[in-house]
């Protein structure tokens, strides 16, 4: 889901926008990710990732954090050109969002060790240049609200990962780029793109 005003929609009127990535999109951090085909405009988006630990359906906001196992840092890689084409045509976003290796994720850290982040810096660097710099507290919809809303549509199960949205500053990547994503108190994730 996108959770900043810069990423589209009116947060005072719209509910979160959800899309899915298949399990084989997830890759561990500190690795080399192949630059995907079929795009001339690959973008990065740093995100807080929520790992679900208990099954839940139609859970309320007040109980939503009880089902969280832990948190990680994630990078939502997006074929922005294909996403823009899909938006114009009213088509699904799968080819833009759900391709192989499109969801690098750091180690998942259990809630008992890191708590529930509410006020933590979230940053992304490309080739050591700061590109995104925000705070978890700036999310339009917080983690509990995202979980509660998503659970209306899908039964959440242990092992599910929820990417929660990105700060402003998203931009284009090139083959050979090194991406470093950080969330204070959670982890750091580094990914290199092949040429």
């Amino acid at each position: 889901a996108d959770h900043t005003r810069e990423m589209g929609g009116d947060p005072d009127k719209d509910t979160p926008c959800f899309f899915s990535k298949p399990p084989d999109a997830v890759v561990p951090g500190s690795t080399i990710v192949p630059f995907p085909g079929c795009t001339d405009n690959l973008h990065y988006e740093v995100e807080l990732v929520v790992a679900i630990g208990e099954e839940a359906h139609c859970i309320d906001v007040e109980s939503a954090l009880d089902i969280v196992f832990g948190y990680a840092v994630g990078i939502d890689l997006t074929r922005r050109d294909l996403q823009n084409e899909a938006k114009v045509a009213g088509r699904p976003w799968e080819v833009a969002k759900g391709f192989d290796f499109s969801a690098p994720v750091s180690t998942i850290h259990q809630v008992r060790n890191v708590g529930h982040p509410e006020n933590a810096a979230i940053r992304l660097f490309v080739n050591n240049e700061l590109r995104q710099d925000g705070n978890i507290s700036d999310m339009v919809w917080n983690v509990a609200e995202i979980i509660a809303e998503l659970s209306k549509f899908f039964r959440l199960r242990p092992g599910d990962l929820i990417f929660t949205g990105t700060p402003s500053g998203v931009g284009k990547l090139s083959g050979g780029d090194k991406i470093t994503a950080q969330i204070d108190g959670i982890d750091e994730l580094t990914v290199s793109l092949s040429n």
Side-chain angles (χ1 to χ4, degrees):
D2 292 329
H3 297 289
T4 60
R5 294 176 190 273
E6 292 81 5
M7 291 305 294
D10 182 347
D12 296 325
K13 297 179 183 175
D14 297 342
T15 57
C17 173
F18 295 114
F19 56 86
S20 63
K21 290 181 182 262
D24 60 4
V26 177
V27 291
S30 301
T31 191
I32 297 175
V33 172
F35 194 94
C38 303
T39 184
D40 294 316
N41 196 15
L42 181 69
H43 279 206
Y44 54 80
E45 300 180 18
V46 60
E47 308 200 17
L48 174 68
V49 177
V50 181
I52 299 300
E54 297 180 29
E55 186 169 316
H57 183 60
C58 293
I59 194 168
D60 58 38
V61 172
E62 292 72 26
S63 304
L65 294 183
D66 295 342
I67 69 164
V68 175
F69 172 80
Y71 295 93
V73 181
I75 302 171
D76 171 15
L77 294 175
T78 303
R79 292 165 164 155
R80 191 71 73 205
D81 43 359
L82 300 188
Q83 184 188 34
N84 290 339
E85 290 172 12
K87 285 180 179 180
V88 170
R91 296 181 185 142
W93 293 5
E94 274 75 10
V95 296
K97 289 284 195 178
F99 54 93
D100 295 343
F101 313 111
S102 63
V105 178
S106 74
T107 299
I108 297 168
H109 298 276
Q110 294 184 47
V111 168
R112 67 185 183 200
N113 297 324
V114 298
H116 294 285
E118 296 178 354
N119 183 17
I122 178 170
R123 302 178 199 89
L124 183 136
F125 300 80
V126 177
N127 302 323
N128 300 317
E129 178 185 332
L130 182 63
R131 298 287 183 85
Q132 291 186 274
D133 188 9
N135 195 292
I136 298 301
S137 64
D138 295 331
M139 291 169 53
V140 174
W141 295 281
N142 66 36
V143 170
E145 292 167 336
I146 294 167
I147 291 171
E149 185 69 17
L150 186 59
S151 77
K152 294 177 185 176
F153 302 101
F154 303 97
R155 186 172 300 278
L156 301 177
R157 293 185 168 87
D160 285 346
L161 300 178
I162 303 171
F163 282 59
T164 58
T166 195
S168 62
V170 299
K172 188 174 180 179
L173 292 164
S174 300
D177 282 345
K178 182 179 86 170
I179 311 155
T180 303
Q182 307 168 337
I183 300 177
D184 286 354
I186 303 297
D187 210 337
E188 179 174 290
L189 165 67
T190 300
V191 171
S192 295
L193 288 175
S194 65
N195 287 303

